[in-house]
Amino acid sequence: MVETITIRDLLPLVFRGMEASERIRHSQVWLAPELTFRRGCRICIQAESGGGKSSLLSFIYGNRSDYSGEILFGNDNIRGFGVDDWCRLRTTSLALLPQEMRVFPELTVMQNLQLKNSLANRKTEASLRGNLERLGIGDKADTPLCRLSIGQQQRVAIVRALCQPFDFILLDEPVSHLDRRNNEIAAAMVEEEAAAQGAGVISTSVGNPLLLNNATFIAL
């Protein structure tokens, strides 16, 4: 179980040499002496395009290591983790919804959901279809994903991200193509699943944040 995620003096290598710039000096994340996210947190990280929000989530998820500083899960520096560690963490402790969604366009909506759900079998088919109904795309369940709009695909990706157990869920601009109504529905679903698991939510935005209740906003 991951109880805390702590970053210390973190900076993407691409920003090296920019330490004195206004962007870095005003950031609440980059080069922060210590910033800790705890299970149960509700965090919205706001940044301009190119500010490094996708990089930050990729660093935490272990997809990238091109940074200076430290990222700790509890007391453990993630640089010391091996393949087996990451496989376990990504199955039981960390969920990620990347900005590009990484869905399978040739598969149907339900096939995309079932593929993810098969890893832990947390959801029944009825509950998956119910979540699609809540987001107004229940009639698309058996439609190839490539035939859906980007906003509809984004709603599918949110349902899929909630299929697994997690201590933290990382959501990179998850509602960038959604209107306020669907944003509110998606946020409620994320809140419900996170609360059920006692998990933390870390979401990013460039101006259309996931409408979480009582979220702490952090400037990247």
Side-chain angles (χ1 to χ4, degrees):
M1 180 176 290
V2 178
E3 293 285 354
T4 60
I5 298 173
T6 299
I7 63 175
R8 295 175 180 163
D9 297 312
L10 189 69
L11 189 70
L13 295 185
V14 71
F15 291 164
R16 183 175 288 171
M18 301 171 59
E19 290 83 351
S21 68
E22 184 174 331
R23 169 188 287 183
I24 303 303
R25 286 189 297 106
H26 290 171
S27 172
Q28 294 176 272
V29 177
W30 303 137
L31 295 181
E34 185 164 292
L35 177 63
T36 297
F37 306 121
R38 302 183 184 280
R39 284 186 76 227
C41 68
R42 302 291 184 266
I43 303 293
C44 181
I45 296 174
Q46 295 187 296
E48 297 178 356
S49 180
K53 59 192 178 341
S54 297
S55 297
L56 174 63
L57 297 191
S58 291
F59 297 157
I60 293 172
Y61 197 67
N63 281 340
R64 291 172 52 186
S65 59
D66 52 321
Y67 61 86
S68 59
E70 295 181 324
I71 301 175
L72 308 176
F73 290 176
N75 295 317
D76 299 322
N77 191 319
I78 68 172
R79 286 196 187 275
F81 293 169
V83 172
D84 290 344
D85 298 311
W86 283 116
C87 288
R88 174 180 53 80
L89 286 164
R90 292 170 185 168
T91 303
T92 62
S93 296
L94 296 177
L96 172 68
L97 173 49
Q99 185 179 348
E100 66 274 18
M101 295 183 285
R102 297 180 192 163
V103 292
F104 296 94
E106 71 279 8
L107 300 181
T108 68
V109 168
M110 279 304 299
Q111 285 171 336
N112 269 273
L113 299 181
Q114 289 166 337
L115 189 62
K116 179 64 174 287
N117 190 54
S118 66
L119 297 175
N121 292 312
R122 278 187 62 83
K123 304 292 183 181
T124 64
E125 180 172 340
S127 68
L128 293 175
R129 289 183 181 271
N131 282 339
L132 295 177
E133 288 286 351
R134 287 180 68 179
L135 286 165
I137 51 174
D139 60 332
K140 307 295 184 184
D142 300 309
T143 301
L145 209 68
C146 59
R147 297 183 187 173
L148 273 59
S149 70
I150 295 299
Q152 290 171 328
Q153 291 184 29
Q154 201 163 49
R155 282 175 265 175
V156 174
I158 290 167
V159 174
R160 186 186 64 172
L162 299 175
C163 286
Q164 71 169 91
F166 55 83
D167 299 316
F168 287 88
I169 185 167
L170 314 174
L171 306 158
D172 193 7
E173 291 193 61
V175 294
S176 58
H177 289 82
L178 300 190
D179 57 29
R180 184 176 182 87
R181 177 176 174 277
N182 281 303
N183 185 333
E184 289 174 344
I185 295 170
M189 291 170 60
V190 172
E191 291 264 23
E192 290 165 13
E193 189 63 39
Q197 301 197 45
V201 180
I202 302 174
S203 180
T204 71
S205 166
V206 292
N208 184 28
L210 183 66
L211 296 173
L212 300 169
N213 292 322
N214 303 313
T216 298
F217 285 78
I218 296 176
L220 186 60

